[in-house]
Amino acid sequence: MAVSFSAKVKEEICREDVPARHCRIAQISAAAAFGGRIQQARDGRKFLELRTENAAVARKYFTLLKKTFNISDDVEIRQAPGQNRSRTYLLQIRDGKELEDLLSACRLQTGQDGTLMPADDLAIQQDCCRRAFIRGAFLAAGSVSNPVRSYHYEIVSQSAQKAEFLGRIMEHFGIAAKTVLRKGHFVLYVKDSSQVVDLLNIMGAHSALMDMENVRIMKDLRNRVNRSFNCEVANINKTAAAAVKQITDIEYIRQCGAFQNMPENLQETASLRRQYPEATLEQLGSMLDKPIGKSGVNHRLKKISEFAQELRSQRETQ
């Protein structure tokens, strides 16, 4: 089974070490806020559950919790129902004191539905912590489309308040994310290719960033070639249409027996146009006994067209 671009980005982020404790706290805060929930056991005790279908993300959660809070609860692996039977990894923090310390350090408060929400900005005072928070939110609830198809980065949130909180952090880095309501969730998304690249850089996914930049370069080159080709085709069509109109006027003049009534220079130009219908104005000008430029040929052809129009007007009034 092919690995998605999102999975590659997450795996790359997970390989990066987070040495500073304050950055680890910020990343755990985002992971819990966007991918965690406070559950209640049968005995009434509350515990934190982090859920993911990505093995690399599960390992990252375990490492962050162990290094930051010395929490090493067992990781439970469940088989999700359905035909795809994807694995779900659950990390649970059941110790009340450990959970209290984590929520306090990560500045998280619990909603009525068990979801978590940052209480304030104290866990993301520095730029490095803001970057870590975006990383954590992406690992928990984010995705990014394959740049070969489109540019789309998004993070799903259970509440508008949480989406707005993350949006403000992105704004700090110049990212103008938008929010849309989809299937009861608030989706923060970015579609501008340069801003998606910026987000990959913010999260530290530099290999994925280079892959996306290569795709952008190829797409830009292809678009420029297509624009150039379309412009050339349009010019050819325009030239061909003009030549058809010119030859139609010349044939009309001949049918009226008025060809010899035109000045000799117009007769010469008309004969060449009739003989070489596909020739450009420059080519016609070089074929004349006394060669002239493109503008001169164009001026003569306009005179021939005007002469043909005068003949048509005369016939209409007769």
Side-chain angles (χ1 to χ4, degrees), residues 250 259 262 266-275 304:
I250 292 167
F259 191 81
M262 293 190 299
L266 298 187
Q267 291 182 42
E268 182 186 13
T269 303
S271 297
L272 284 173
R273 169 48 84 200
R274 186 166 176 265
Q275 186 177 356
I304 293 171

Side-chain angles (χ1 to χ4, degrees), residues 47-182:
F47 63 94
L48 171 63
E49 182 177 84
L50 295 172
R51 181 186 298 260
T52 179
E53 294 181 358
N54 189 304
V57 174
R59 289 192 297 269
K60 189 64 175 180
Y61 286 168
F62 184 86
T63 302
L64 288 171
L65 292 170
K66 176 66 176 176
K67 292 180 67 174
T68 310
F69 299 104
N70 197 29
I71 297 174
S72 56
D73 281 24
D74 292 337
V75 177
E76 181 182 350
I77 302 177
R78 291 182 182 175
Q79 201 78 26
Q83 294 181 352
N84 61 354
R85 297 187 62 79
S86 59
R87 289 182 175 180
T88 299
Y89 300 86
L90 303 178
L91 287 87
Q92 298 177 344
I93 301 174
R94 292 182 171 274
D95 184 276
K97 181 64 168 60
E98 290 178 342
L99 177 57
E100 183 181 347
D101 291 343
L102 184 148
L103 296 179
S104 176
C106 293
R107 308 300 301 169
L108 293 171
Q109 58 187 13
T110 308
Q112 292 182 349
D113 58 353
T115 59
L116 296 165
M117 173 70 195
D120 48 45
D121 298 340
L122 292 181
I124 51 169
Q125 290 296 296
Q126 303 179 59
D127 275 359
C128 57
C129 296
R130 296 186 184 98
R131 293 173 186 271
F133 191 93
I134 295 174
R135 282 199 303 273
F138 180 79
L139 289 178
S143 64
V144 58
S145 63
N146 189 324
V148 174
R149 296 194 301 270
S150 63
Y151 301 107
H152 186 91
Y153 174 106
E154 70 175 38
I155 294 177
V156 180
S157 171
Q158 301 98 331
S159 70
Q161 184 183 6
K162 203 180 302 184
E164 291 170 4
F165 184 88
L166 180 58
R168 289 195 299 272
I169 297 175
M170 290 184 175
E171 284 179 7
H172 180 82
F173 295 102
I175 305 297
K178 296 181 180 179
T179 305
V180 63
L181 183 62
R182 184 200 303 159

Side-chain angles (χ1 to χ4, degrees), residues 217-241:
I217 291 170
M218 290 303 298
K219 280 187 175 181
D220 182 60
L221 178 61
R222 191 182 303 117
N223 289 338
R224 278 187 287 170
V225 170
N226 288 339
R227 284 196 297 269
S228 177
F229 176 76
N230 292 337
C231 183
E232 186 175 344
V233 169
N235 288 335
I236 290 173
N237 291 337
K238 184 178 179 181
T239 300

